[in-house]
Amino acid sequence: MPVRPALMLFAGALIGCVSWALWHRFTGRNPPIGIAIGVSVSGLILSSTRLWPLLAIAVLATYEIFEPQYPLVAKLAAAMGLALGALVTATIIRRRGVRPTELLDPRSILWVFVAALAGSLLAAGIVALGTIAAGRPTSFVEKFAQQGLGMILAAPLVLVWARPLHERWSFFRWTGFVATMLLCAVVTTIVFLLPREDPVAWAIFPPLVLAALGWHLRGATVAMAICAVIVLWSTEIATGPFALAAPDNRVLLAQMFVAVTCATIVLLAAHADERHAEDKLRIAAKRLEVSRRNLTNMARDAATAVAILDLDMRYVAASQRYVADHRLPEDMALEGHSHFEVFPDCPAERRAMFARVLDGEQLSGDGDPLRHSDGSVDYVRWSHRPWYDEDDRIAGIVLASEIVTAEMEARRKLEEAERRYRAVFEQAGVGVGRLSLEGVFLEVNDRICELTGHPREALIGESCRKTSTAEEWPATIEGIQALARGEVPYYSDDRMVVTHDGELRPVHCTANLVRSGDATEDYIAVVLQDITPRIAAQRALAESEKLLRLAQEAAGVGVWEIDLVRGGSRHSPQSARLFGLEWHESEYRMADVADRLGTEQVAELRKAIVSARRIKGPLDMTLRLTMPDGEARWVTLQGRYDPHDGEPRLLGLVIDITHDVEADAQLREVHEKLLRLARLNAMGAMASTLAHELNQPLAAITNYLEACRYLTRSRGDPDHDILDALDRARAQALRAGDIIRKIRSFTVSGEIVQASLDLNAVIYSACAAVRQLKIARDARIDCDLDPAPANLIGDALQIEQVLSNLIRNGVEATAARARREMSVTTRVGREEVLVQIADSGPGLSEAMLDNLFEPFRTTKESGTGLGLPICRTIVEAHGGRLWAENGPGGGAIFSFALPIAEADETIQPHDEIY
């Protein structure tokens, strides 16, 4: 950051703030003009807007010196209001491209006022908010008027006097300036400070106009500053024309008067300054034009011999080259001598030419002989032009000449070269021709005639469309036009030429624009080369590559190459496709496939490449690729080391073995399913056997219970508690037999009993059964059941078994927990009923979630791993679904959903099993 501009900006802002503080201290009121913000705006424009924090520091420093007890929030608001308001104004002026030297130009002053308005609004708003936040009264309009008036008065004053004077003022001009300023001060004092009651504020305008017209912007800004101070001070002491207004409106009216007056006078001064500058510029332009004409004539032939003669053909000036080219003595002073004295043998025709030039003609010649006194001859390019004085009258002749003897020799050599070129042109082994800028043949050699089959006279003057196909002609003419316009440096492409017999012949066409000596477009040179053998070879190669790619795609094989010196690899299209890459001919890097291989496989691949290079042996490995869409692909790399003329590389194949890997995985999966099916069949047989074997003990238990019940009743005074216990035992035995028979039936046939069931009743029954268990003694089981009815059809006993199993699992999961809570929740939807059993246990691990419902998978020491698989089988047999997940607050949640039957679905009667 420049130190000097920063210090000057800070000092200016500090002086403005101190003047505000002094005014406030002596009058007890805020000054009606914000000098500080005006000085700050001009400082930011002249230095840099990045220095705006210095303005805030200046305001805070002033408060600490004069008003240390002022509230901090108000101090900060005043500091930020001044700094940001000045910054906004300066930024708008800079963004509009208005330079400091053009700030008060009539075309720019409107944007200056708009910027001042925006900055004043922002500054006044911030200061007013800070004052209100400090609990003090304030007026936004007052603040806005202060800041705006300060900008339009102080900023122009500083900016105008910061610029150096265009012309130095004399003592008398300074005296007139001071006198005019005193006149403005005296008139303003008489009008505003002396006691009077008539509104004659207009009387200050004549001296202000005099200051603006006589001393332009410098006079206008100083005079307005003087008048503004007097007008505003008179308002403070209640004198002058504005004392007639209401006390609350005096200051605002005075501020508006000063602002309008300032805008008017500054615009008048800017206009006067511009008119004055235009007058001076017009005079200077006229003088410059006269000099420019003479200097243009001199500069036009600056590299040649130049001499200037007056009307009497006397030399005014002559260059040294003029003296040397005419072989005059080097020390000869031509100025003042007559041309005819220097060249007494000047022929009459030359004298007549001079007379014509003095009459206003311009004469010139190229390659005319110049005979010297020693008899030698040079060839010159010359021109004779008149020159003019300030009154636009012919004042003499400008003679310019250049010896072109060497150029004439070069021209002769060029003609010789042209003859040689012609011989090469005709005997070239390729077709060479010249086209006009419109594509018309201007010249062709014999080879073009051979290629096209047309004789020379049939091509000259004809458009090249005659030898172009209809399909290629639009592109051909577009290329010719682009060359003619200079849009492309050359044109090169393969084309088909239509021969005289109508056959198509492939050629390579190269064309470029040829310019003439004056750099203008002359013609288009075109070269045609027969590429029939090359096209045939390319077609054969393309066909071979096509067959190879088809073979690679059919076999799922791609070709790759790894550069062992510079790194990088190249792939065939099939190889790139297998790696999931977009094919291109340039090199691939390891980073291109890193996301598909993973960190471990990348490390293994690098290690295998290094090993193959070290032992100069083969590369053989299998990789698993993860495609961007999540698809897994398996490939095998098989390569070998190739020295390749000192630049070793690995060449090999990439083969897609995804189908083989998937086939192996499917085979293993089928094998595992067969093993599970065998275990399930064995378990079904065991369940059937258990059901058959347990029916007899359960029947015996039922009979013994009936006998006990009969004996107890036969007593004179039976114990009803014993009878109730016997009834419950009998009911549970019958229920156990019913469960065993239904499990056997479900295991054998897979069918379930279809009947309407009350899900809420089933849930209450299952919860009651679990609460009777010893392990559930201190567990809490809550039910949150949806009261909405649901039409469910199924086997209530089997659904109860599912609920009992899930609730008991939850109770067992909380056995070692301090908080043992279970919740059973139901929600009835439009198509299904959702049942959720949540516990406060440790939850399910990721490994458990993966195989939770597989048979023989258990985490219990005494578990069989069949409970959850049987539950899922029962739920799915009812057309539902069962799943598990971890709760958001911990614990596990087992959920199952049962479908709701249609309203008109009938229930088939069935026999209850006892």
Side-chain angles (χ1 to χ4, degrees), residues 762-842:
V762 173
I763 292 174
Y764 285 131
S765 177
C767 291
V770 175
R771 289 191 183 101
Q772 296 177 4
L773 299 177
K774 181 179 180 180
I775 194 173
R777 184 170 302 170
D778 57 348
R780 175 182 174 185
I781 303 175
D782 296 328
C783 294
D784 180 13
L785 307 183
D786 195 329
N791 184 20
L792 295 179
I793 297 177
D795 193 326
L797 190 60
Q798 291 190 12
I799 297 299
E800 183 179 346
Q801 284 301 114
V802 172
L803 288 164
S804 300
N805 193 359
L806 296 178
I807 296 171
R808 185 175 60 203
N809 286 347
V811 170
E812 292 175 352
T814 61
R817 312 286 287 189
R819 183 171 64 91
R820 303 186 64 194
E821 296 180 358
M822 294 284 301
S823 65
V824 181
T825 306
T826 64
R827 292 293 181 265
V828 179
R830 295 180 59 185
E831 298 180 354
E832 62 183 12
V833 178
L834 176 65
V835 182
Q836 289 187 329
I837 299 93
D839 61 60
S840 59

Side-chain angles (χ1 to χ4, degrees), residues 207-220:
L208 289 176
V209 172
L210 176 62
L213 295 179
W215 284 269
H216 304 155
L217 290 172
R218 297 182 187 275

Side-chain angles (χ1 to χ4, degrees), residues 70 83 161 233 238 247 253 268 293 316-317 398 424 547 552 558 605 667-668 715 778:
Y70 203 65
W161 286 96
W233 178 257
L253 289 174
L268 179 62
R293 291 177 182 176
V316 177
V398 177
V424 174
L547 294 175
Q552 291 177 359
L605 180 57
L667 182 62
R668 288 194 298 270
R715 295 179 182 179
D778 57 348

Side-chain angles (χ1 to χ4, degrees), residues 41 107 115 134 213 228 261 357 443 453 526 544 554 565 728 733 778 889 914:
V41 169
R107 292 176 295 273
L213 295 179
T261 304
V357 173
E443 188 177 8
V526 60
S544 176
V565 178
R728 290 185 180 182
D778 57 348
Y914 294 95

Side-chain angles (χ1 to χ4, degrees), residues 307-316 322 326 328 332 334-358 384 397 399:
I308 301 176
L309 294 82
D310 59 14
L311 289 173
D312 298 328
M313 295 300 294
R314 294 187 178 274
Y315 284 97
V316 177
Y322 181 85
H326 289 81
L328 299 173
M332 183 177 184
L334 296 179
E335 289 76 4
H337 290 81
S338 172
H339 178 76
F340 304 118
E341 294 177 358
V342 177
F343 299 99
D345 298 332
C346 181
E349 59 271 15
R350 183 60 59 88
R351 294 174 182 265
M353 291 171 56
F354 292 154
R356 291 167 57 188
V357 173
L358 291 176
H384 297 166
I397 298 177
L399 305 180

Side-chain angles (χ1 to χ4, degrees), residues 347-516:
E349 59 271 15
R350 183 60 59 88
R351 294 174 182 265
M353 291 171 56
F354 292 154
R356 291 167 57 188
V357 173
L358 291 176
D359 289 337
E361 289 190 45
Q362 296 183 6
L363 304 178
S364 62
D366 189 7
D368 292 346
L370 173 63
R371 301 185 182 277
H372 298 289
S373 56
D374 59 359
S376 60
V377 177
D378 276 327
Y379 296 92
V380 297
R381 181 183 298 116
W382 58 271
S383 65
H384 297 166
R385 295 182 177 87
W387 62 277
Y388 301 84
D389 58 13
E390 295 181 0
D391 297 328
D392 204 23
R393 293 179 299 183
I394 296 176
I397 298 177
V398 177
L399 305 180
S401 61
E402 179 184 5
I403 295 179
V404 293
T405 304
E407 183 179 335
M408 297 291 289
E409 180 64 21
R411 185 180 302 175
R412 184 189 62 79
K413 293 180 179 179
L414 180 61
E415 293 174 354
E416 180 65 25
E418 176 69 19
R419 288 192 295 271
R420 295 176 180 175
Y421 156 75
R422 179 60 55 187
V424 174
F425 176 82
E426 294 296 340
Q427 300 173 15
V430 294
V432 181
R434 292 192 303 119
L435 297 177
S436 69
L437 301 182
E438 293 76 24
V440 176
F441 283 109
L442 301 178
E443 188 177 8
V444 294
N445 67 350
D446 293 338
R447 183 57 178 159
I448 285 186
C449 296
E450 295 176 6
L451 289 174
T452 62
H454 292 282
R456 190 188 305 267
E457 56 275 9
L459 292 178
I460 301 299
E462 294 288 339
S463 172
C464 59
R465 185 172 188 174
K466 185 174 183 178
T467 61
S468 179
T469 63
E471 295 79 8
E472 294 180 349
W473 172 246
T476 302
I477 190 61
E478 182 179 352
I480 292 174
Q481 293 173 353
L483 278 173
R485 292 191 298 264
E487 297 176 357
V488 294
Y490 65 92
Y491 175 87
S492 180
D493 200 359
D494 291 343
R495 290 294 177 193
M496 299 299 293
V497 170
V498 181
T499 66
H500 179 68
D501 298 331
E503 297 179 357
L504 297 180
R505 177 172 293 175
V507 297
H508 181 75
C509 176
T510 303
N512 62 282
L513 181 65
V514 178
R515 299 180 182 273
S516 59

